[in-house]
Amino acid sequence: MWTSKRRAVVRALYVVAFPSLSANSFAFQSTVTSSRSRWLSRQHSTRSYSVSSIMMQIDNRVALLQVPVTESKSTNLKTASDYIRKAHDAGAKLTVLPEIWNSPYATSAFGDYAEMLPNVGDKLTEASNEGETSEAADNGWGQSSRLLMTLAKEYNMYIVGGSIPEKCDNKIFNTCLIINPRGEVVGKHRKVHLFDIDVPGGICFKESDTLTAGDGVTHFDVDGLGKIGIGICYDIRFPEFAMLLTQHYDCKILIFPGAFNLTTGPAHWELLQRARAVDGQCYVMTASPARTSPPNDDDETDTKSKYPHYSAWGHSTVVSPWGEVIATCDEDPAMVVTDLDMSKVDEMRMAIPTMKQKRNDLYRLVDG
């Protein structure tokens, strides 16, 4: 009985979209991850669709933007703008950028690319909407946040702005802005758990060399989707953080912009998403930067990099409340588009009511 329900979810959430060479069309390709999904491959082979036929916004349609990131902030801003437009053209109601999309992912780069960011409740001034480009027009906010606020209003969509380095009070944070269709900031999450790891034979990285940790949880409401909780990358490794969002704040979707690497990515990226989805009986969505090739230092024609190269795992993904991967992509630049059936969250929570079966006499989740 439950198997048939799971198949219904897979049929409803059916597409992975990759940007084609043409700016006016997308190649839609199904990605299968289990035997139950092989039906999907037969039903939805790779096809091209004109975006002009999809322009109307679709309720509960979401898009994950796996964009390539360079050392040029202006190039990154243009890329993000192009992908957000493509998400709008595909009918997305909400779109998600990856972690650190306007800057190289390097502790030495964060300070150089950091910007002042708006706070919850802020929106662009009329002067800025009329083309004012000076950062002074909006309390010193940087280009990245003003771009997101402008596009959210222009396209009448929610934008989960991945994350960018934020400078505030002589500190730098890894910060995600959430913008509503009126161009207003409705959420601001500063990465709570900093990525400080040293994997023997793998990777050593210390965000705390540059960044300061945030100290709060973030959630926001979207009509039709309900409450949505936000974490950034390493935050996904802490089940208590996710449970706080799903159990105390009743979030039905968790979104984690992230940039896992080639050591942790193949081992844990999908595993952690599926675990958080099953723990919280909710949808989990992740957006990663696309993987880029390191510069060839032996090639004199290749531009020398100022910062250490970081290879992102990619594989931006949507996982269902049952813990199944229902939409994903590979490591290349991509846009993952899917429609969320929110009734499946309630079905899962009723069928396996773990949230009502907690042993509070033995353990308890406390909101700090």
Side-chain angles (χ1 to χ4, degrees):
M1 180 176 178
W2 187 260
T3 300
S4 64
K5 290 183 179 180
R6 281 188 284 164
R7 285 175 177 163
V9 175
V10 173
R11 290 187 180 108
L13 306 167
Y14 61 89
V15 297
V16 174
F18 297 86
S20 70
L21 296 177
S22 168
N24 296 318
S25 66
F26 303 114
F28 285 80
Q29 177 182 332
S30 301
T31 300
V32 297
T33 55
S34 67
S35 59
R36 285 183 295 276
S37 299
R38 292 195 181 100
W39 173 89
L40 190 61
S41 181
R42 294 193 297 271
Q43 296 296 319
H44 299 282
S45 57
T46 302
R47 295 170 288 176
S48 293
Y49 296 83
S50 169
V51 297
S52 61
S53 65
I54 313 176
M55 290 283 284
M56 183 177 64
Q57 192 173 86
I58 308 298
D59 280 346
N60 297 0
R61 177 163 292 179
V62 297
L64 309 178
L65 308 182
Q66 187 164 294
V67 301
V69 179
T70 72
E71 290 190 8
S72 167
K73 181 183 281 191
S74 61
T75 298
N76 297 334
L77 294 176
K78 184 180 185 306
T79 300
S81 180
D82 289 344
Y83 272 64
I84 291 170
R85 175 183 54 79
K86 290 175 182 179
H88 163 261
D89 291 348
K93 180 177 186 176
L94 178 148
T95 192
V96 186
L97 283 162
E99 182 183 24
I100 307 294
W101 59 268
N102 74 337
S103 160
Y105 191 83
T107 56
S108 56
F110 294 154
D112 294 342
Y113 289 76
E115 302 177 4
M116 291 180 61
L117 299 184
N119 293 312
V120 173
D122 287 337
K123 56 185 177 181
L124 292 174
T125 64
E126 289 299 321
S128 182
N129 287 335
E130 291 172 2
E132 173 63 62
T133 59
S134 170
E135 291 191 7
D138 289 293
N139 301 312
W141 304 336
Q143 294 174 291
S144 303
S145 59
R146 289 187 289 114
L147 174 69
L148 299 182
M149 297 163 84
T150 298
L151 294 180
K153 185 174 182 179
E154 178 180 348
Y155 295 140
N156 190 40
M157 69 192 308
Y158 282 88
I159 296 178
V160 177
S163 76
I164 63 176
E166 176 197 10
K167 57 183 177 182
C168 180
D169 297 331
N170 296 317
K171 298 176 181 177
I172 300 176
F173 300 90
N174 186 343
T175 302
C176 175
L177 293 177
I178 301 96
I179 320 295
N180 72 11
R182 297 185 298 278
E184 179 182 355
V185 179
V186 293
K188 182 176 182 178
H189 180 71
R190 289 169 170 168
K191 189 173 186 176
V192 173
H193 306 93
L194 297 184
F195 182 54
D196 286 4
I197 68 165
D198 188 357
V199 180
I203 184 173
C204 179
F205 200 97
K206 287 195 68 175
E207 281 189 326
S208 62
D209 285 345
T210 304
L211 300 178
T212 298
D215 58 6
V217 296
T218 304
H219 55 86
F220 64 104
D221 288 279
V222 175
D223 289 342
L225 296 176
K227 290 186 178 179
I228 300 175
I230 299 292
I232 298 175
C233 199
Y234 202 52
D235 288 338
I236 199 173
R237 288 188 177 272
F238 299 85
E240 299 87 353
F241 176 81
M243 286 190 289
L244 192 62
L245 288 165
T246 55
Q247 296 180 25
H248 278 211
Y249 299 106
D250 195 31
C251 292
K252 296 187 175 182
I253 301 171
L254 299 180
I255 298 177
F256 294 91
F260 273 40
N261 54 70
L262 302 191
T263 299
T264 61
H268 300 149
W269 177 248
E270 180 183 312
L271 174 67
L272 287 166
Q273 294 173 65
R274 296 179 68 188
R276 297 295 83 81
V278 172
D279 288 344
Q281 301 179 312
C282 63
Y283 285 103
V284 170
M285 305 195 304
T286 57
S288 168
R291 193 179 309 168
T292 55
S293 299
N296 183 357
D297 293 334
D298 296 329
D299 186 350
E300 294 183 357
T301 65
D302 205 352
T303 303
K304 297 297 187 291
S305 176
K306 181 180 177 181
Y307 307 102
H309 181 76
Y310 185 91
S311 294
W313 174 239
H315 297 82
S316 300
T317 297
V318 182
V319 178
S320 77
W322 187 257
E324 285 190 313
V325 174
I326 52 179
T328 191
C329 61
D330 59 16
E331 69 276 12
D332 294 325
M335 181 174 74
V336 178
V337 180
T338 195
D339 301 328
L340 303 182
D341 182 352
M342 298 310 298
S343 70
K344 299 305 175 185
V345 177
D346 295 330
E347 285 183 16
M348 184 68 179
R349 293 180 178 183
M350 290 178 63
I352 307 177
T354 55
M355 291 187 184
K356 298 178 180 179
Q357 297 170 329
K358 302 295 183 184
R359 287 291 304 273
N360 289 326
D361 57 323
L362 298 177
Y363 52 85
R364 188 172 302 172
L365 182 66
V366 178
D367 188 347

